[in-house]
Amino acid sequence: MAGIFDGGGDIEEVSILSSFESRLMKLENSIIPVHKQTENLQRLQENVEKTLSCLDHVISYYHVAKDTEKIIKEGPTGRLEEYLGCMARIQKAVEYFQDNNPDSPELNRVKSLFERGKESLESEFRSLMTRHTKPVPPILILDLISGDDEIDTQEDMILEHLPESVLQDTVRISLWLVEYGRNQDFMNVYYQIRSSQLDRSIKGLKEHFRKNSSSTGIPYSPAIQNKRKDTPTKKPIKRPVFIPGTIRKAQNLLKQYSQHGLDGKKGASNLIPMEGHEHDLRVKHLSDTLNDKHGPAAGRDDMLDIEIDAYIHCVSAFVKLAQSEYQLLTEIIPEHHQKKTFDSLIQESLDNLMIEGDNIVSAARKAIIRHDYSAVLTIFPILRHLKQTKPEFDQVLQGTAASTKNKLPGLITSMETTGAKALEDFADNIKNDPDKEYNMPKDGTVHELTSNAILFLQQLLDFQETAGAMLASQETSSSASSYSSEFSRRLLSTYICKVLGNLQLNLLSKSKVYEDPALSAIFLHNNYNYILKSLEKSELIQLVAVTQKTVERSYRELIEQQIQTYQRSWLKVTEYISERNLPVFQSGVKLKDKERQMIKERFKGFNDGLEELCKIQKAWAIPDMEQRDKIRKAQKNIVKETYSAFLHRYGNVPFTKNPEKYIKYRVDQVGEMIEKLFDTSA
């Protein structure tokens, strides 16, 4: 029984399990379709949402023109970021329609709006640059190039060309135009506006000199700390200040010597003023000559100084302003366009400087033709400054076109060539100055040619390196190609020796115009002495000694030779009373008529000769007081000694019944007469 019951239980369990499995399968078969259907519905829902989203996105492109049109029409002024945001939306709309619906009329609308927006940005760029670009004030430029003595900071002065907010706006617009606008016209706008500003700044500085400068100095700016708060500068730098008034120095010295003579108080030597009517005539002649060359108005000299000093400052201003312009340009203009844009920006100002420099060279060439060598000196300070500034010039012009870089070297070469020609022509002119009687000083004083030559050479001392380089530039030897400062100094020394040699030859020739050998000797003495004293009282003597070691001794020998020649003019006076020409008379023996007559003739010859020479030589001039006293003293001693011996021997001899007729002068009176030589006022 038990086995039967057990078997029946297993069957029942299997039946239950089978029934359960069957129900599960039915449930699964009914749920799976529902699940799949649900997934499909979810997918459909997602697709619908995506489709709606895409539709919204597409529809938004159709709304872009409407949404942005007002802002685009009103322009970007005062809301640049918002404006650029609208332009970004328009740009995307254009791209959408071009890719998906190129035939859509909406494409033309957004493209038109985009072009309008781009034009507005370009216009805004131009407007910002125009409104905020102003010439740099002259006072500020002078601070930039000259610095201020009271400022110890070593940081650079930086010009603030544009307010910071404006700078940021122009940078944003520039970046957008390059990236999206695909237009480089704004770069042309930039360089044109900034180029005009640079040119006006430099012209303003020049006008500042014309209005405010004078011969006594150049108006520099006040102290930096006293500037107005809105002055667009940052952190000034201390720089060397130019020394004005270098051009008129030779002309003023020439006037000075002609008006005041050769007094040590006025000139470079210890010579004293010329004396007498002849000096007055020479003053008038020199003044007339200066007036013929430079105009009767002293103001012309002042204007020349101002123009040259202004040009020198304008050259420095160009360098500093160009450096500042490049710094600004690198912030606004894309890197690969910077050099070309900068090259275009500086052309007008650079060309104006070069044209003005060429005009100075042209004027110097005309001055050479007129033999107006003092006017040629105008190029010396300019050339020196150009060469000193050239390293900064080269640095500023890095990356510009070769034609731009070559402009300054071309001007320097032109000035060096012109200056060298002026130096050589001056030396030749000294040698060939004609011997004209009307041009010779009647009193034998220093010739105008000598004073002009020395004064010109003295001016070269201020420009030794420049003048030496001028001469070296014309050398073709291998040593000249890489000349050193010592080489150029030797060339300048050789040149000065050449001028002095030519001058000596010309003076010798001129001295032959005088019929009186004594006056010829006084003339040469005065000129040689003037040359020597001028050399000694300046650095010329050291410069000449570079190639001619014995120049001082040579001139002293020449001066002594002329003194001896002059002293021979008194032999015809002292010969009458010299001991070797006197007869011997026995004491206590009555004189014969022939002997009495001989003594009378000796006294008369001496008296007449003394009076004649004193009358003639009183009108002659020896401007150097030391030399004048020396020559007077030597001659006085010789004549007084000889006359005293003669008078001692024959003063008490009864050779005449009227001794006062023949013994007209005491020994001290003879000395007093000789003491009045070379002095028309005595």
Side-chain angles (χ1 to χ4, degrees):
M1 288 296 291
I4 295 172
F5 288 115
D6 288 339
D10 290 339
I11 293 171
E12 187 177 351
E13 288 177 2
V14 170
S15 175
I16 292 170
L17 289 174
S18 297
S19 175
F20 181 72
E21 182 179 3
S22 173
R23 289 177 183 177
L24 283 176
M25 289 180 64
K26 288 180 181 180
L27 180 61
E28 183 179 356
N29 290 333
S30 62
I31 289 176
I32 287 177
V34 172
H35 176 68
K36 289 182 179 180
Q37 187 176 11
T38 301
E39 285 183 344
N40 290 335
L41 289 173
Q42 287 177 341
R43 191 176 297 111
L44 287 174
Q45 183 179 359
E46 289 176 1
N47 290 339
V48 169
E49 289 175 354
K50 288 181 180 179
T51 301
L52 289 174
S53 176
C54 288
L55 286 173
D56 288 341
H57 183 66
V58 170
I59 292 171
S60 69
Y61 290 127
Y62 285 88
H63 293 165
V64 165
K66 180 181 178 182
D67 293 344
T68 61
E69 188 171 16
K70 180 181 178 182
I71 294 176
I72 297 302
K73 286 182 177 180
E74 291 176 352
T77 304
R79 52 179 177 185
L80 181 61
E81 289 302 322
E82 181 184 5
Y83 196 88
L84 292 177
C86 290
M87 290 298 293
R89 289 184 62 191
I90 296 171
Q91 172 71 12
K92 290 180 180 179
V94 170
E95 293 172 355
Y96 169 79
F97 288 118
Q98 285 178 335
D99 293 339
N100 298 280
N101 194 2
D103 297 327
S104 171
E106 198 66 26
L107 173 60
N108 294 330
R109 187 179 179 188
V110 290
K111 285 179 67 176
S112 174
L113 199 57
F114 182 82
E115 290 300 319
R116 183 170 183 172
K118 186 174 73 171
E119 291 173 1
S120 294
L121 286 171
E122 292 173 347
S123 177
E124 178 70 3
F125 183 88
R126 179 190 294 273
S127 177
L128 287 172
M129 294 301 302
T130 303
R131 288 202 313 270
H132 298 281
T133 293
K134 297 177 182 178
V136 181
I139 294 296
L140 205 56
I141 298 176
L142 289 173
D143 286 334
L144 184 67
I145 62 179
S146 302
D148 193 286
D149 291 338
E150 298 180 7
I151 296 173
D152 296 324
T153 178
Q154 294 300 310
E155 297 184 56
D156 283 339
M157 170 187 284
I158 301 174
L159 292 177
E160 193 175 76
H161 293 287
L162 300 174
E164 188 64 28
S165 61
V166 174
L167 177 60
Q168 294 304 318
D169 284 351
T170 54
V171 170
R172 291 282 287 117
I173 295 173
S174 170
L175 291 173
W176 190 93
L177 289 173
V178 170
E179 185 174 357
Y180 302 107
R182 298 179 178 85
N183 191 336
Q184 298 179 7
D185 290 345
F186 78 96
M187 299 181 199
N188 296 332
V189 170
Y190 177 87
Y191 93 70
Q192 289 167 0
I193 294 174
R194 297 305 302 177
S195 174
S196 174
Q197 179 268 353
L198 177 60
D199 189 55
R200 285 185 293 150
S201 297
I202 295 175
K203 287 179 178 177
L205 176 63
K206 183 185 295 185
E207 190 63 27
H208 177 75
F209 271 81
R210 289 175 178 169
K211 288 182 178 180
N212 300 293
S213 298
S214 68
S215 60
T216 57
I218 298 298
Y220 293 102
S221 66
I224 297 294
Q225 58 265 31
N226 293 333
K227 282 186 169 54
R228 300 186 308 273
K229 291 183 179 179
D230 59 345
T231 302
T233 61
K234 302 176 183 177
K235 300 175 183 177
I237 181 174
K238 185 175 182 180
R239 298 187 185 279
V241 177
F242 291 100
I243 300 175
T246 55
I247 307 310
R248 210 172 57 257
K249 189 175 178 184
Q251 298 164 357
N252 283 347
L253 279 173
L254 187 54
K255 289 180 182 178
Q256 181 184 95
Y257 279 112
S258 65
Q259 292 169 355
H260 300 285
L262 305 173
D263 193 350
K265 295 179 180 179
K266 295 290 183 182
S269 77
N270 61 345
L271 305 177
I272 70 164
M274 302 176 187
E275 302 172 272
H277 178 65
E278 173 65 18
H279 171 241
D280 295 336
L281 290 177
R282 280 176 54 72
V283 170
K284 182 178 186 303
H285 172 70
L286 285 172
S287 298
D288 290 344
T289 302
L290 285 166
N291 286 341
D292 289 342
K293 290 181 179 179
H294 307 294
R300 294 188 182 182
D301 289 339
D302 295 334
M303 286 305 299
L304 178 62
D305 255 358
I306 293 168
E307 290 297 324
I308 298 305
D309 285 327
Y311 183 73
I312 287 174
H313 280 75
C314 285
V315 170
S316 293
F318 171 81
V319 173
K320 299 302 180 186
L321 292 176
Q323 288 173 340
S324 184
E325 285 295 336
Y326 188 74
Q327 291 173 357
L328 177 66
L329 178 144
T330 56
E331 296 189 62
I332 298 176
I333 303 300
E335 184 176 358
H336 56 287
H337 293 287
Q338 289 173 2
K339 294 295 185 182
K340 182 179 179 181
T341 304
F342 180 68
D343 197 342
S344 301
L345 189 156
I346 62 174
Q347 282 304 313
E348 183 178 4
S349 297
L350 181 59
D351 285 344
N352 287 340
L353 282 178
M354 296 302 108
I355 290 171
E356 190 170 351
D358 289 338
N359 290 339
I360 292 170
V361 171
S362 178
R365 287 171 179 159
K366 292 177 182 177
I368 294 173
I369 295 174
R370 299 193 309 269
H371 303 300
D372 180 10
Y373 298 102
S374 62
V376 177
L377 288 172
T378 58
I379 69 174
F380 280 74
I382 293 175
L383 177 57
R384 178 173 64 183
H385 185 68
L386 289 179
K387 296 183 78 170
Q388 289 173 344
T389 312
K390 187 176 182 297
E392 283 188 279
F393 243 100
D394 292 342
Q395 184 178 13
V396 169
L397 300 183
Q398 280 183 354
T400 58
S403 58
T404 302
K405 294 177 182 176
N406 292 335
K407 287 180 180 179
L408 180 65
L411 179 59
I412 289 175
T413 299
S414 179
M415 285 193 173
E416 283 187 332
T417 302
T418 303
K421 177 171 175 54
L423 293 175
E424 291 303 321
D425 282 15
F426 177 77
D428 293 341
N429 190 59
I430 293 296
K431 181 179 180 180
N432 301 319
D433 189 68
D435 306 328
K436 296 180 180 178
E437 188 174 349
Y438 72 84
N439 197 34
M440 293 294 291
K442 292 181 175 61
D443 58 0
T445 191
V446 178
H447 196 278
E448 180 186 3
L449 180 69
T450 301
S451 60
N452 285 349
I454 294 300
L455 289 171
F456 183 84
L457 293 179
Q458 286 175 337
Q459 301 322 298
L460 297 184
L461 291 175
D462 293 333
F463 309 101
Q464 292 184 43
E465 187 174 341
T466 303
M470 284 179 176
L471 297 169
S473 69
Q474 306 306 302
E475 292 289 314
T476 56
S477 63
S478 58
S479 58
S481 61
S482 57
Y483 70 89
S484 62
S485 58
E486 182 58 31
F487 176 75
S488 62
R489 183 174 171 82
R490 290 187 65 83
L491 281 179
L492 184 57
S493 175
T494 301
Y495 170 78
I496 292 175
C497 290
K498 177 182 177 180
V499 172
L500 293 176
N502 289 351
L503 178 59
Q504 183 178 337
L505 291 173
N506 197 304
L507 291 172
L508 280 170
S509 179
K510 289 184 187 302
S511 69
K512 296 175 183 177
V513 172
Y514 296 110
E515 296 179 359
D516 190 336
L519 180 56
S520 176
I522 290 296
F523 170 76
L524 289 174
H525 163 273
N526 284 333
N527 283 273
Y528 292 154
N529 184 64
Y530 177 86
I531 294 170
L532 177 60
K533 291 296 179 67
S534 298
L535 292 177
E536 289 177 333
K537 294 296 181 179
S538 69
E539 294 180 27
L540 278 174
I541 194 70
Q542 290 92 345
L543 195 54
V544 171
V546 172
T547 54
Q548 180 57 266
K549 305 292 185 184
T550 61
V551 61
E552 286 185 88
R553 186 181 69 191
S554 298
Y555 274 110
R556 293 191 192 284
E557 291 174 354
L558 289 172
I559 291 169
E560 191 57 38
Q561 289 172 11
Q562 300 312 314
I563 291 176
Q564 293 174 6
T565 301
Y566 162 76
Q567 289 176 340
R568 284 197 287 271
S569 69
W570 282 85
L571 290 178
K572 62 182 180 181
V573 175
T574 56
E575 281 291 326
Y576 285 106
I577 58 175
S578 62
E579 187 175 346
R580 68 176 180 274
N581 293 327
L582 295 176
V584 179
F585 302 108
Q586 295 180 0
S587 178
V589 178
K590 185 179 180 180
L591 296 175
K592 298 177 183 179
D593 290 345
K594 182 178 180 181
E595 293 172 336
R596 286 196 299 273
Q597 186 61 34
M598 181 180 292
I599 295 174
K600 289 179 183 179
E601 288 176 354
R602 296 302 172 89
F603 269 108
K604 185 177 185 304
F606 172 77
N607 292 336
D608 291 347
L610 175 66
E611 291 168 357
E612 180 184 7
L613 280 186
C614 286
K615 180 181 178 181
I616 292 173
Q617 295 184 7
K618 182 179 181 181
W620 295 355
I622 299 181
D624 187 334
M625 180 184 294
E626 182 182 336
Q627 286 291 310
R628 184 167 68 234
D629 291 344
K630 174 185 174 182
I631 292 173
R632 280 174 177 170
K633 183 178 180 180
Q635 201 57 56
K636 182 171 64 174
N637 290 341
I638 293 171
V639 176
K640 282 179 66 177
E641 183 181 346
T642 308
Y643 183 63
S644 178
F646 181 77
L647 196 60
H648 178 74
R649 177 175 293 187
Y650 297 106
N652 296 319
V653 174
F655 67 93
T656 178
K657 294 179 180 180
N658 302 305
E660 68 278 358
K661 179 179 178 180
Y662 297 97
I663 308 177
K664 296 175 64 174
Y665 303 106
R666 300 187 307 274
V667 174
D668 60 324
Q669 287 178 317
V670 171
E672 290 173 359
M673 292 176 69
I674 295 176
E675 196 65 38
K676 295 178 182 178
L677 295 178
F678 318 118
D679 186 359
T680 57
S681 63

